[in-house]
């Protein structure tokens, strides 16, 4: 058979055309799509994940599928619901903590149902994708039944204990600062091995540019906000 390292590298390569296609859908500009795909293709982390057997690279692909589905849902295209289900299920198979995507799924579906009727969700394509998602989720459901909902009890117990801490502003701020510090570390490690100070300056410049773009550039406001929320979404994991 094909070595597992080659399989993960192949899955990682599939991200390149997906990022191109997704970016083209977001901004409608070939130049931006090509630049995005190129940046991913030569990025240190993409190469690293593509060869890292203990932390499967395919999760990058499934997460991208999930968020592409989310973008479609926000544009009232019901097929996005099915893509989100499949993306979330595949992501959980690769990285269990990506259960967090389910929270975004609930919020986005709730938003979708405020715009369209429920029957808009029931299409042949969505039913087929839901069937595939059921297969991806089934090992977790079987495990829960076998072990008497052990994971469910653990999660509910965590929230009951953590609830008081999460309401503590100091606790939340400390976790968010840790998230910001992780962004600084990623930039300083992956972009020409810059110092942390330069990384902080780059991130501050990026934040200013994004804010300016949101306020001034009406055409790209939606895609910019969407990508910003995608970038900041892991902050929820740090709080919990």
């Amino acid at each position: 058979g094909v070595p597992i390292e080659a399989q993960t590298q192949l899955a990682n390569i599939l991200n390149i055309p997906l990022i191109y296609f997704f970016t083209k859908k977001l901004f409608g500009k070939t130049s931006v799509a090509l630049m995005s795909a190129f940046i991913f293709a030569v990025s240190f982390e993409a190469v690293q994940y593509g060869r890292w057997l203990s932390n499967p690279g395919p999760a990058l692909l499934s997460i991208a599928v999930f968020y592409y589905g989310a973008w479609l849902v926000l544009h009232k295209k019901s097929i996005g619901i099915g893509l989100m289900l499949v993306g979330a299920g595949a992501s959980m198979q690769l990285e269990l903590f990506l259960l967090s995507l389910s929270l975004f799924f609930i919020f986005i579906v709730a938003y979708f149902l405020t715009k369209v009727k429920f029957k808009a969700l029931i299409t042949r394509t969505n039913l087929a994708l839901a069937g595939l998602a059921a297969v991806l989720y089934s090992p977790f459901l079987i495990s829960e039944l076998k072990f008497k909902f052990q994971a469910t009890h653990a999660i509910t117990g965590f929230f009951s204990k953590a609830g008081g801490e999460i309401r503590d502003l100091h606790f939340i701020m400390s976790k968010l600062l840790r998230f910001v510090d992780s962004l600084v570390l990623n930039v300083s490690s992956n972009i020409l091995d810059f110092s942390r100070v330069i990384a902080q300056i780059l991130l501050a410049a990026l934040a200013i540019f994004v804010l300016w773009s949101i306020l001034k550039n009406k055409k790209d406001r939606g895609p910019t906000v969407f990508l910003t929320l995608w970038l900041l979404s892991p902050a929820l994991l740090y709080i919990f």
Side-chain angles (χ1 to χ4, degrees):
V2 180
I4 188 171
E5 182 176 351
Q7 294 178 30
T8 56
Q9 289 176 343
L10 176 61
N12 209 46
I13 290 173
L14 292 176
N15 281 289
I16 298 173
L18 179 60
I19 288 173
Y20 171 86
F21 178 75
F22 190 7
T23 309
K24 184 72 177 293
K25 284 285 186 179
L26 280 172
F27 294 97
K29 300 175 182 177
T30 301
S31 58
V32 176
L34 286 172
M35 181 174 63
S36 300
F38 174 76
I39 290 173
F40 176 83
V42 301
S43 67
F44 172 77
E45 286 200 351
V47 176
Q48 184 184 47
Y49 272 104
R51 300 175 60 84
W52 194 359
L53 302 185
S54 64
N55 194 1
L60 297 174
L61 178 61
S62 57
I63 292 171
V65 170
F66 175 88
Y67 278 102
Y68 178 58
W71 176 255
L72 292 176
V73 172
L74 294 177
H75 284 73
K76 301 179 183 179
K77 297 181 179 179
S78 65
I79 189 176
I81 299 292
L83 290 176
M84 289 177 69
L85 281 172
V86 171
S91 297
M92 284 180 60
Q93 287 285 348
L94 297 164
E95 298 281 4
L96 184 58
F97 72 87
L98 290 172
L99 171 67
S100 59
L101 293 176
S102 300
L103 294 175
F104 294 100
F105 176 79
I106 293 172
F107 290 136
I108 291 173
V109 170
Y111 169 82
F112 185 73
L113 291 176
T114 64
K115 303 297 182 180
V116 301
K117 296 181 179 179
F118 178 78
K119 66 179 182 180
L121 300 178
I122 312 302
T123 65
R124 289 183 179 180
T125 302
N126 268 347
L127 290 175
L129 291 172
L132 176 58
V135 173
L136 294 170
Y137 280 108
S138 61
F140 301 104
L141 297 176
I142 294 171
S143 176
E144 284 293 87
L145 292 172
K146 180 178 179 179
F147 297 106
K148 300 179 180 179
F149 299 96
Q150 187 179 60
T152 302
H153 292 317
I155 292 173
T156 54
F158 166 79
F159 279 104
S160 63
K161 293 178 182 178
E165 289 184 322
I166 292 172
R167 289 190 293 269
D168 184 347
L169 182 60
H170 175 74
F171 174 85
I172 293 176
M173 291 304 299
S174 66
K175 294 298 184 181
L176 291 179
L177 287 174
R178 183 182 173 192
F179 170 67
V180 172
D181 187 63
S182 74
L183 288 179
V184 172
L185 178 61
N186 283 338
V187 172
S188 63
S189 299
N190 295 315
I191 303 180
L192 301 179
D193 198 22
F194 283 142
S195 69
R196 293 177 68 89
V197 174
I198 295 177
Q200 291 171 345
I201 294 173
L202 288 174
L203 283 171
L206 176 63
I208 294 171
F209 173 77
V210 168
L211 182 60
W212 175 86
S213 180
I214 291 173
L215 294 175
K216 298 294 185 179
N217 191 349
K218 293 183 180 180
K219 182 180 179 181
D220 293 335
R221 180 175 297 168
T224 303
V225 171
F226 181 80
L227 292 176
T228 302
L229 293 176
W230 184 347
L231 174 66
L232 300 179
S233 62
L236 287 176
L237 295 178
Y238 280 77
I239 294 176
F240 291 107

